[in-house]
Amino acid sequence: MDSNLQPEWSTEHTICSFDVDPQLTARLPALCGFMQEAAYHHAEHLGLGHSQLSAQSLAWVLSRQRIEISRLPAWGESIKVRTWPSGRDRLFFYRDFEIADESGGLILLASTAWFVINTEKRERVHSDFYLNIDLPDVGAHVFSAKLERLKGCSCEGGDPMAVNYGDLDMNGHVNNIRYIEWVLSSLPLEFHQTHSFESLEVNYLAEAVYGHDVSVCTEPAGSFTWAHVIRAKGDDLFRARTVWQGKQAS
């Protein structure tokens, strides 16, 4: 392993007006964007990023994600995102994250699982190809439990939405953050005004592309817990579970 390669990566951000919701706290998709960008730059630094893989018609794909939040930062706050490779197995590479506030207190923990696809065939690349990638010594997992495969839900979805150009990422399919925006938007404004976000678990099952009609299904799955599914042509593309807590009356 090249001794000049950094085993972890950090970026700093200030929460801007376009990152916040009506309560003036950072929207979760904005924080996911900060984490994704940090992962992108670290992968580039390690020689395993978009520019290196795309030359071989390959790309990283996010498969599973878990996020736990102690609080959302407010407009104007500065935060620090730290990320590192946290392990691998026969199915996935794992990358974990921490977000800290200005005083160094941890406000968010996240773990992600990734694999590689061939972008021309739109097929998963056999793990033998990339399990021999030379990575720095991995750091600890932020969660002790493994990222799980979520169950679907049986509810009917809402009105279909057409995937448009603004939904697409650099690989030509729906940006993974857009799915999170869709499921959070499936809960009414009054719910967001009276509840605060605690955790999110997601499974990305299949890609959505331009012209697909997708629908979002949301149903209760326990106390302060919701199950979410995004479907296209009757197939589940995305599953999620969100956990909330009631806000204290001011």
Side-chain angles (χ1 to χ4, degrees):
M1 184 72 202
D2 187 338
S3 60
N4 293 320
L5 294 180
Q6 300 177 32
E8 63 178 54
W9 197 264
S10 296
T11 58
E12 295 183 0
H13 305 271
T14 298
I15 304 302
C16 297
S17 60
F18 48 78
D19 297 320
V20 302
D21 62 14
Q23 286 75 49
L24 304 185
T25 54
R27 295 176 297 107
L28 178 61
L31 300 180
C32 290
F34 296 151
M35 290 189 287
Q36 184 171 293
E37 192 69 5
Y40 164 80
H41 286 292
H42 195 205
E44 288 286 312
H45 169 75
L46 296 173
L48 303 168
H50 174 75
S51 63
Q52 294 97 348
L53 267 66
S54 62
Q56 305 173 65
S57 299
L58 301 173
W60 288 108
V61 171
L62 179 60
S63 178
R64 298 179 185 179
Q65 184 175 36
R66 177 182 172 191
I67 299 171
E68 300 279 348
I69 292 177
S70 58
R71 75 173 183 88
L72 291 167
W75 183 15
E77 274 196 73
S78 294
I79 60 171
K80 183 175 183 178
V81 179
R82 186 170 75 92
T83 184
W84 62 93
S86 57
R88 55 187 174 183
D89 56 30
R90 66 183 183 85
L91 296 176
F92 302 117
F93 273 105
Y94 297 93
R95 173 174 285 277
D96 284 19
F97 301 83
E98 295 177 347
I99 295 183
D101 59 20
E102 294 172 279
S103 66
L106 293 179
I107 60 175
L108 181 150
L109 300 175
S111 184
T112 55
W114 304 74
F115 59 85
V116 171
I117 64 165
N118 181 299
T119 55
E120 293 179 348
K121 298 179 180 178
R122 314 307 288 186
E123 294 177 350
R124 185 169 181 161
V125 175
H126 194 276
S127 60
D128 288 348
F129 175 82
Y130 58 91
L131 282 181
N132 295 319
I133 289 174
D134 192 18
L135 287 174
D137 293 336
V138 298
H141 286 290
V142 297
F143 305 122
S144 58
K146 282 195 170 185
L147 301 180
E148 62 179 297
R149 185 175 178 86
L150 300 175
K151 295 180 180 178
C153 57
S154 58
C155 65
E156 295 294 327
D159 293 335
M161 303 178 294
V163 173
N164 58 48
Y165 180 77
D167 299 320
L168 305 180
D169 65 10
M170 65 180 70
N171 295 318
H173 55 206
V174 172
N175 188 302
N176 63 76
I177 297 173
R178 187 72 80 213
Y179 292 98
I180 296 174
E181 293 175 338
W182 286 338
V183 298
L184 295 181
S185 295
S186 70
L187 295 166
L189 174 62
E190 293 78 9
F191 182 88
H192 289 280
Q193 291 172 331
T194 56
H195 294 78
S196 57
F197 186 85
E198 282 194 347
S199 69
L200 167 76
E201 293 180 71
V202 302
N203 290 171
Y204 296 90
L205 305 175
E207 63 181 354
V209 297
Y210 184 81
H212 273 177
D213 287 331
V214 300
S215 59
V216 182
C217 168
T218 292
E219 67 179 10
S223 180
F224 296 105
T225 303
W226 294 82
H228 314 268
V229 171
I230 295 176
R231 298 188 178 105
K233 298 180 179 179
D235 295 324
D236 289 0
L237 306 180
F238 174 90
R239 295 174 183 165
R241 179 168 59 222
T242 56
V243 179
W244 308 75
Q245 63 178 348
K247 289 183 179 178
Q248 301 253 340
S250 54

